[in-house]
Amino acid sequence: MAQPAEKVPRVVVFDSGVGGLSVLDALQRQLPGHQYYFVSDNAGFPYGTRSEYSLTQRVHKVLRQIMPHLQPDLLVVVCNSASTVVLPSLRESYETPFVGVVPAIKPAAALSKTGVIGLLATPATVQREYTHRLVREFAPNCRVEMHGSGELVEIAERAIRGVAPGPMQMQQALQPLIDRCSEEVDTLVLACTHFPLIKQWIEPYFPSVQHWVEPADAIARRVESLLGKGQPGLTEQPRAILTQADGDLDALQAYLGKLGFGPVEVREIDAAH
Ligand code: DGL
């Protein structure tokens, strides 16, 4: 008797922009047995300057289209700005399991010897009560210096399209954090998924940092604990879906090609939330 076809778990990795790719790369390497879909809401980008209300409306609007279309077995909200506010209502609305990413204050506090932690995120994440609660709960004896920058998000978007940032630009974007903790900071949390993509340009400004805290491995462990290892060998090429046509599609396509993606698809979702 014929055996039922083995099912490859579908994992959607969702972000406003290319930040999701910093995590997707690790997921593909560590858990190659899942079918990956990268969804970038580039029509709604940037998320990191939106209010809680606007972001919640926007994410629900996008997922109302994406969930029935892709029918994922799990969805990773690879965006700190969104995860810090929208996960509870998503979990109420769908049966699908959601994995989020929130600022890694707890592991940072465990790693830091000087007790001075830097946190780079979007302006929205830095303002969120959720983030401040993490600091009170998990790093009460540390000094956590936060800097929210929309400029660094834009720099990351350009960098993966082949436009590297200049030193002046990086210095300017990072100066507020450099001023507050360059000597003593030994742990730096990259609490926006765009930032691991430009870490090589951030590192020189923080020579005292011993620990760079990024979320990719923790997310991979969480996905594995919920979905297992999947079906290595049965997966197809990962698919990338944008919510509007990209102004520099060739450059984006070239980067995605290196991660094994085929042609980018566009599923238009208008920018209004
Ligand atoms: N990558 C996202 C985050 O982790 C947000 C970037 C943006 O759209 O501003 O917060």
Side-chain angles (χ1 to χ4, degrees):
M1 207 162 82
Q3 294 292 316
E6 289 173 281
K7 189 171 178 309
V8 180
R10 294 177 161 211
V11 176
V12 169
V13 173
F14 171 69
D15 187 24
S16 58
V18 298
L21 296 173
S22 68
V23 172
L24 195 128
D25 191 30
L27 285 172
Q28 282 186 302
R29 275 186 283 106
Q30 294 178 34
L31 297 170
H34 299 154
Q35 185 61 49
Y36 291 104
Y37 299 82
F38 167 58
V39 176
S40 160
D41 179 19
N42 58 333
F45 173 89
Y47 279 6
T49 48
R50 283 182 184 255
S51 69
E52 296 198 7
Y53 175 78
S54 148
L55 193 42
T56 304
Q57 298 293 309
R58 180 67 195 173
V59 172
H60 277 273
K61 175 172 173 165
V62 174
L63 294 198
R64 271 196 298 276
Q65 299 218 22
I66 292 301
M67 296 298 274
H69 177 56
L70 296 179
Q71 302 190 353
D73 295 295
L74 183 147
L75 189 140
V76 192
V77 181
V78 202
C79 173
N80 292 261
S81 312
S83 294
T84 47
V85 64
V86 78
L87 282 176
S89 63
L90 289 179
R91 288 179 175 136
E92 268 171 30
S93 307
Y94 297 96
E95 281 175 15
T96 310
F98 286 90
V99 172
V101 54
V102 297
I105 310 267
K106 191 178 175 183
L111 286 167
S112 178
K113 297 252 179 312
T114 61
V116 183
I117 296 169
L119 185 135
L120 273 176
T122 62
T125 298
V126 163
Q127 280 157 22
R128 295 261 190 272
E129 171 51 24
Y130 189 99
T131 305
H132 292 268
R133 203 167 61 232
L134 288 178
V135 173
R136 286 197 300 276
E137 217 168 295
F138 297 116
N141 302 318
C142 296
R143 201 174 100 213
V144 181
E145 296 288 357
M146 302 190 198
H147 174 45
S149 169
E151 174 63 9
L152 286 172
V153 176
E154 299 284 353
I155 287 173
E157 288 284 334
R158 287 194 292 271
I160 69 103
R161 290 172 176 82
V163 184
M168 283 290 283
Q169 201 181 9
M170 289 307 292
Q171 171 100 32
Q172 251 171 20
L174 295 168
Q175 198 63 51
L177 190 60
I178 296 169
D179 287 346
R180 279 182 280 140
C181 59
S182 67
E183 296 287 298
E184 311 114 303
V185 66
D186 70 344
T187 304
L188 207 141
V189 183
L190 298 179
C192 169
T193 51
H194 278 69
F195 299 167
L197 301 170
I198 51 167
K199 185 174 153 196
Q200 66 181 110
W201 291 290
I202 300 175
E203 274 172 331
Y205 296 94
F206 298 96
S208 59
V209 168
Q210 306 285 316
H211 310 287
W212 292 83
V213 184
E214 301 172 42
D217 291 345
I219 293 177
R221 284 195 297 276
R222 183 77 188 127
V223 171
E224 185 176 352
S225 77
L226 290 167
L227 274 192
K229 285 204 181 296
Q231 301 286 346
L234 293 184
T235 57
E236 291 165 9
Q237 218 172 20
R239 281 168 56 189
I241 297 155
L242 309 180
T243 55
Q244 71 177 12
D246 187 88
D248 197 355
L249 190 58
D250 288 349
L252 180 64
Q253 187 74 71
Y255 187 87
L256 289 169
K258 283 188 238 151
L259 298 179
F261 284 81
V264 171
E265 299 162 40
V266 176
R267 195 176 171 84
E268 298 236 0
I269 302 180
D270 68 87
H273 61 245

